[in-house]
Amino acid sequence: MAEILRRLTNASSFSVLQDKLENWHRDYHMFSCDQNVNRCCELIELTAKIQGQLFNILNITAAEGGHYGGVDTLKTRFLPWLGSCFSISRPSIAEDTSLHFFQDAAEKERKMKELLLSHESEIRKMEAQLNSTNLQLESVTAELEEAQKKLDDTKCKSATTLLATEDEILQLKAELVRSRSPSPLPLLSRSSSPLRSTSPTRAQLTNSSRHARLVSRFSDLYTMERLDAQSLLRRYIPDLEMVQRIIFIAVMESFQKAKLAYRQFKQQVRKTLSTSHFGPESLEDAAVDYIVRNLDLYDVLCSVNNVILAMNKNPQISFPPEVDFRLICPLIRETCRVAFAMQTLDTPLDLAYGSSGELFNNAKYRRSFDSDFSAPLVAYYVWPALVEGSTVVVKGEAVTKRGALWSRNRSRSASPTRSRSLSPARSVRFSDKRSMSPGRLTTRHL
C-alpha cells in the first residue's frame, strides 16, 4: 500500500488537476461549446482515475486491518457519503432540460460561426474595395502628372511664342521707322533738339506682360519664400509675432534698398549713354530699355548686404546672438530682384507704408486669422500691400488687437533701444564675379 501511495504522491495528480481547472477557467469564454465540454470530460476522466487509485488504496488499507479493521469508519463516514451520492433529490426542472441546454449551445455555436464567416467576408470585400480605390488613385495621379507635364510644355511654348512675337513687333517697328525716315542724320543736323520717335521701345511694348509677371511673382513671395523664411526663423525664435515682424521689415528694407540701387544704376546708365546717344528714342527711354534688357547686371548681393545691415540696426526686432539675419537671405534676395524690376515699369510698383498702432485700412490690408476682428488698431503687419500710385494692386496682411497702441508704447518703454553691429566673423560677405555694379558700367557693356 505504501508503494501505491508513493506513486500517487509523485505523480502530483491533484496538482495537474488543479492546473487544468485553472486553465479552463481562464480560457472558458474564448472556447467554443464543444471545447468546453471536451475540457470538462477530460477533468472528469482525470478525477475518475484519481478516485480509482484512492479506492484501491482504501481496499488495501482495510485488508491490512483484518476482518474488522476500519469497519467503524466505513460505517460512520464512507457508507453515508456513498449513499448520499445516489439519493440526490429529483430536480424540479424537466427531464429534457439538459437536452435543451445542449441544443441552445449548439445553436449559439452555429450563429457564432455564421457571424465569423460573415465578418471575414466583409473584410475581404473591404480589402478588395481598398485595392480598387488604390488602383484608381494611382491612375488619377498618373493622369494629373501627365496633365501637369502638358501644361508645363504649353507654358514654355507660350512663353517662347510671346518672346518671338515681341521680337517680331520690335523688328517691324524698327523697319517702319526706317521706311519713314530714310536719312535720320541730316534731319538731326537740321534741328537743335534731339529727334523723338513715336515708336515704342522694348520696355514699353512689354510693360503690360512684365507688370502681370511681377505682380504674380510678388504673390509667390508671400506664399512660398515668406513661409520658408518663417519656418527657418521659428527654429530659433519661439515668438511668432517677432518672426512676422522680422519678415515684414525685411521686405520693406529690401524694397527701399532695391529702389536706391535702381536710381544709382539708372543714373550711371544715363551718364554712359549721354556721350553716344542720338535717338530715335529719348535718353530716358533708352536708359530704361537698357536696364530691362540687362536686369542680370543688377548687383543684388550688394543690396542684400545693405538690407541685413539695416535690419541689425532696427530697434523693433531682435535675433538670437548665435545666428544672423543671413538665415533669410533667399527671401531678401528674391524681394530685391522683384522690387528692382518693378521700377522699370511705366508706373513703378511700390509698397504701402504701415506702422503699428495705426487704424486698420480695409482697402489695403486683410486681417490675419488670429486677429481680433472687432479691434480697430493694427498690432503689427505681417505682409505689406503692393500699390501702383494710389491704387492697391495686392492687399497686405495685418494683425489687429485691442489695446495695440498701449501695448506697443509699453513694450518700447520697457525695452532699451537695440543697435547691433556686425562683427567681422558674422558680417555678410558676398562675391560674384559675374554681377556688375553701376560703378563698373562702361560704354563697352552698353
Side-chain angles (χ1 to χ4, degrees), residues 84-97:
S84 64
C85 292
F86 295 98
S87 61
I88 299 177
S89 61
R90 182 182 181 87
S92 59
I93 60 176
E95 296 180 354
D96 57 346
T97 302

Side-chain angles (χ1 to χ4, degrees), residues 379-427:
Y380 63 92
Y381 288 97
V382 177
W383 191 256
L386 185 67
V387 295
E388 185 176 5
S390 60
T391 304
V392 178
V393 180
V394 179
K395 279 190 175 184
E397 183 177 341
V399 177
T400 57
K401 295 180 180 178
R402 292 209 174 265
L405 183 60
W406 178 82
S407 61
R408 174 170 167 260
N409 294 333
R410 183 179 180 183
S411 62
R412 282 190 172 184
S413 61
S415 59
T417 303
R418 181 185 62 85
S419 177
R420 289 181 49 181
S421 60
L422 285 176
S423 62
R426 297 177 59 191
S427 61

Side-chain angles (χ1 to χ4, degrees), residues 48-63:
K49 291 180 180 179
I50 297 174
Q51 287 181 347
Q53 295 178 2
L54 291 175
F55 275 111
N56 188 18
I57 294 174
L58 178 62
N59 186 26
I60 297 175
T61 303

